[in-house]
Amino acid sequence: MADANLEDLPGVGAKTAEKLKDAGYDTLMSIATMSAADLSEVADLGSKTANKIIIAARKELDLGFQTGSDKLEERKSMAKISLSSENFNDLLDGGVETQSITEFYGEFGSAKTQCALQLAVNCQLPEEDGGLDKGVVFIDTEDTFIPERVEQMAEGAGLDPEEVLDNIFVARAYNSDHQILLAEKAQDIIKKNDIGLIVVDSLTAQFRSDYVGRGQLAERQQKLNKHMHTLQRLANTFNTAVVVTNQVMSNPGQLFGDPTSAIGGHIVGHASAFRIYLRKSKKDKRIARLVDCPYLPEGEAVFRVTENGLEDA
Ligand code: GTP
Ligand code: MG
C-alpha cells in the first residue's frame, strides 16, 4: 500500500521513524531498497530487526520480488496454533499457520465457529503448548462470538478466562463494507497489541446478503477479492494467522451445481492456502477434511466438540 507510513512497519516505533526521517529515509520505498547493514546503522537497530523491517517494507509495496534468503527468513518466523485435537493438528502438520489464510467451510452446525473460537483461545497459550502467546482480532459478522463459550474453552485449555477475553478484540461487522473497513483498520490494533490471529466469522455471510442475484456477482467477487488481499497483507506484514469461515451453497440451483462448494468460489479458494471442509458426524463428532493443499497430503481428521471445546474423538 503506497499510503502506509513508516510507523506501520513492525519494529518501527516513533523513535526509529524519527531517526530514519532525519536521515532522509522517509518513504517505504527508501526503506525497501536499503541494505540491512545501512538500516541498522542509521536507525541504531539490530541486524535481525533491520532485516525484518526491510522485508515488511517490500511486502507493503508489493515489489513482487523477494530473495531466497528473504523467503527463508520469513518461513523461519512462521508459527502454528493448535486446534486442541491431535488428529486435527496432524492433518495440518501442527495446526493453523501464521502468514497464511486458513478457510473453514461447511454447512450450519459443522463447527466452523467452534474452530474459530478454539483458535482464538489457543493463540494465547504459551508456545510450548501450541499457542503463540499473543492476542486476537475477531471480526464477528453474525453475532456468534459468545463470550461465555470462550470462557468455557479457556478453562478447558487451562487459561484464565478473564484474561483470555481481555486479549480478544471483537468487532461486529454490520454489512460487507463495514467488514472490509474493519479489516483495513485492524492494522492499528495489531500494531498496538501483540496480535497472533485474525478471525473473520463469517467471511461471506454479509457479502451474500448485500449482493443478491447474478447481476451483482462480479461486484461481490471483486470486493471479496480485495478483502482477502487486505487479510493476506496483514498476515504477511505482522506474521499473524488469518482464519475465515465460509458457508457452503445449500441451493444447488444457485450459481454452482456442487452442493458442497464454498461460497465465493475460486476467489476465496485461491486466496486461502489451507481449506478445511467440515462436516457433521454422529452426535458431537465432526470430520475435517483438508482440501487441495499443495504441500500436505489430503486426509481427514475426526474430532469432537465438547464442553471444553475441541477434543480428539
Ligand atoms: P453456522 O455458523 O450456523 O453455519 O454453523 P457453525 O459451523 O459455525 O457451527 P458452530 O460452530 O456454531 O456449532 C457447531 C456445533 O458445536 C453445534 O451444533 C453444537 O453441537 C456444538 N456447540 C456449540 N456450542 C457449544 C457449547 O457451548 N457446548 C458444547 N458442548 N457444544 C457446543
Ligand atoms: Mg458459525
Side-chain angles (χ1 to χ4, degrees), residues 107-114 116 140 142 144-145 201-202 245-247:
E107 66 171 336
F108 71 93
S110 59
K112 302 180 292 294
T113 297
Q114 299 305 304
D140 179 17
E142 296 185 296
T144 49
F145 181 88
D201 182 23
S202 136
T245 69
N246 197 357
Q247 280 100 341

Side-chain angles (χ1 to χ4, degrees), residues 105-117 142 144 148-149 152-153 201-202 245-247 278 280 283-284 286 305-309:
Y105 70 100
E107 66 171 336
F108 71 93
S110 59
K112 302 180 292 294
T113 297
Q114 299 305 304
C115 289
L117 294 175
E142 296 185 296
T144 49
E148 291 81 1
R149 180 59 174 146
Q152 275 184 346
M153 287 179 164
D201 182 23
S202 136
T245 69
N246 197 357
Q247 280 100 341
L278 295 172
K280 294 182 213 170
K283 292 183 187 158
D284 59 358
R286 297 290 181 275
V305 182
T306 73
E307 203 70 7
N308 289 330

Side-chain angles (χ1 to χ4, degrees), residues 133-148:
D133 202 7
K134 289 185 178 180
V136 178
V137 165
F138 201 108
I139 300 177
D140 179 17
T141 78
E142 296 185 296
D143 221 1
T144 49
F145 181 88
I146 317 242
E148 291 81 1

Side-chain angles (χ1 to χ4, degrees), residues 81-96 301:
I81 309 172
S82 163
L83 277 146
S84 295
S85 147
E86 288 299 320
N87 294 338
F88 210 155
N89 286 341
D90 285 348
L91 183 71
L92 297 176
D93 194 25
V96 166

